[in-house]
Structures are given as C-alpha cells and as structure tokens.
Amino acid sequence: MKTRINLFRRKPQQDFISIHASQIKRTLTSAGVVLFLLFIFLITQVLRLNSQQQELLKKKETYLKYLLDEKEAEVNVRYFKSKQTQMNTFLKNDANFLPYYSVLKKSLDEGLAKPILDTIDIDKDRKTTFIVRFSSYSEMDLFLKYIESEDFLKNFSSLALQSFSINKQTISGNRFELELKGVFKELK
C-alpha cells in the first residue's frame, strides 16, 4: 500500500488563543474592571487620608499658636500637675495620723498616772513608736500597771516596752522615760 504525502495542502491549525479567545477576553475585561475599581478605591483612600492629615496639621498649628500665646497657662498647668502628683504620693503614703493620735492621747489621759507624751511616730501600716515621760517613779509604776490592762490594750494589736531610761535633772529631780512600740488596731 502506498501512502502519499500532499505537501501543498495545509491542515488548519488551531492555536490556544483562537480557541479560547472569548474566555480570555472576558477574563481580561473582568480583571481590568477589578483593577480599575481597586485603583478608584485606593485614590479615594489617599484623598481621605490626605484631608485628615491637613486637618490635623491645622489643629497642630492652632495648638502650637495657643501654647506660644499662653506660656504662663502652660507653666501653671505643669505646676498644678506636679502638685497633683505630690498630693497623690502623699495620700498613698499617708499614715492617717490624727485619729490614731487622738486614740492614744485619750488612752493616756484615762489612766491614773498622767504621762507626758514626748514623741510619737505613726506610719501608714499603723505601726507606732511613742515616748512618755514621768516626773516620779510612782507615776511611772501606775502607768505600767495601766498599760497592761484591757482598757489600754483594746486599741493595740501588739504593744511592747522598747526601752526605759532615767534622765537626771538638777532642778526637778529625775525624769523617767518609757519608749513603747506597737501596732494600732484598725479604726472603723
């Protein structure tokens, strides 16, 4: 059997582009529309951000002008802020001294012996150290008995005698001092 090859006859060639031309056209058109919409969106965002930036710059200029015009007000505000900070620090570390001092003074005055409250220190945790003076040994003895009673100890969660001293005085005789250390019960 003989086969012949016809070199003059051409077979129709179908390439990819001609086969899928309508699909490619639709895909490129939709991609173009999406890119155009994205471009429009980005332009509007840039314009909006630019207008916001211009507004903020105008506000900044206004505030800077105000600060330059009102330097004294700024100094006063800074002074007030520093005082407010100091006050907050003070209130945080405040010992609430007066109520505890009043309780101690009242407790000292209720006993038979009338000691003289020489020094007192109360911190924010209600810890206290105080020194009481006496002009005679008998007053000090009465006071020592009194501080062991429930009437005196009801105001303290703990109380201890820290030190005892006798100071010699030339005119009025000896002076007796007791240093007591303790913790107040919390006042309500």
Side-chain angles (χ1 to χ4, degrees):
M1 177 162 160
K2 281 188 181 182
T3 58
R4 293 185 178 177
I5 298 176
N6 187 355
L7 296 176
F8 297 110
R9 188 171 166 209
R10 211 168 162 198
K11 274 187 166 180
Q13 287 185 336
Q14 301 261 337
D15 59 350
F16 181 78
I17 295 176
S18 60
I19 294 174
H20 300 292
S22 63
Q23 259 184 335
I24 292 173
K25 186 178 179 181
R26 277 188 301 227
T27 305
L28 288 176
T29 304
S30 6
V33 169
V34 168
L35 287 175
F36 179 73
L37 292 176
L38 181 64
F39 177 74
I40 296 294
F41 174 75
L42 290 175
I43 291 295
T44 57
Q45 288 294 86
V46 166
L47 292 175
R48 185 180 59 82
L49 290 174
N50 196 9
S51 67
Q52 283 180 351
Q53 182 182 17
Q54 292 301 322
E55 287 177 25
L56 290 174
L57 285 173
K58 286 179 185 176
K59 282 183 182 180
K60 178 182 174 184
E61 287 176 14
T62 305
Y63 292 146
L64 284 175
K65 183 180 177 212
Y66 177 75
L67 280 175
L68 291 174
D69 293 343
E70 300 293 332
K71 283 193 179 228
E72 186 176 326
E74 180 187 7
V75 169
N76 289 339
V77 167
R78 287 179 190 249
Y79 177 75
F80 176 75
K81 183 65 179 164
S82 71
K83 289 301 176 184
Q84 181 187 22
T85 304
Q86 288 175 356
M87 183 68 150
N88 289 340
T89 303
F90 173 76
L91 289 175
K92 188 170 43 171
N93 296 327
D94 184 28
N96 200 10
F97 183 84
L98 185 60
Y100 292 107
Y101 173 76
S102 300
V103 165
L104 179 63
K105 190 72 173 149
K106 182 181 174 196
S107 296
L108 292 176
D109 291 340
E110 287 177 355
L112 295 174
K114 303 292 185 210
I116 298 168
L117 185 59
D118 193 33
T119 61
I120 182 169
D121 181 32
I122 301 173
D123 68 6
K124 69 178 182 176
D125 297 325
R126 301 182 318 275
K127 294 178 184 172
T128 184
T129 303
F130 59 95
I131 297 175
V132 289
R133 287 185 293 141
F134 304 95
S135 57
S136 70
Y137 177 79
S138 60
E139 283 181 359
M140 184 187 67
D141 189 41
L142 283 173
F143 179 74
L144 286 172
K145 290 177 184 172
Y146 172 65
I147 62 172
E148 293 176 353
S149 71
E150 285 296 319
D151 290 337
F152 189 79
L153 292 176
K154 69 183 177 189
N155 300 315
F156 296 93
S157 57
S158 68
L159 185 67
L161 180 62
Q162 198 67 23
S163 68
F164 165 72
S165 64
I166 301 172
N167 295 330
K168 302 236 184 227
Q169 293 181 340
T170 56
I171 298 173
S172 62
N174 293 335
R175 184 174 76 178
F176 301 92
E177 287 184 353
L178 298 176
E179 181 180 353
L180 296 146
K181 191 173 194 175
V183 178
F184 280 104
K185 289 184 179 175
E186 188 169 0
L187 295 177
K188 296 179 182 174

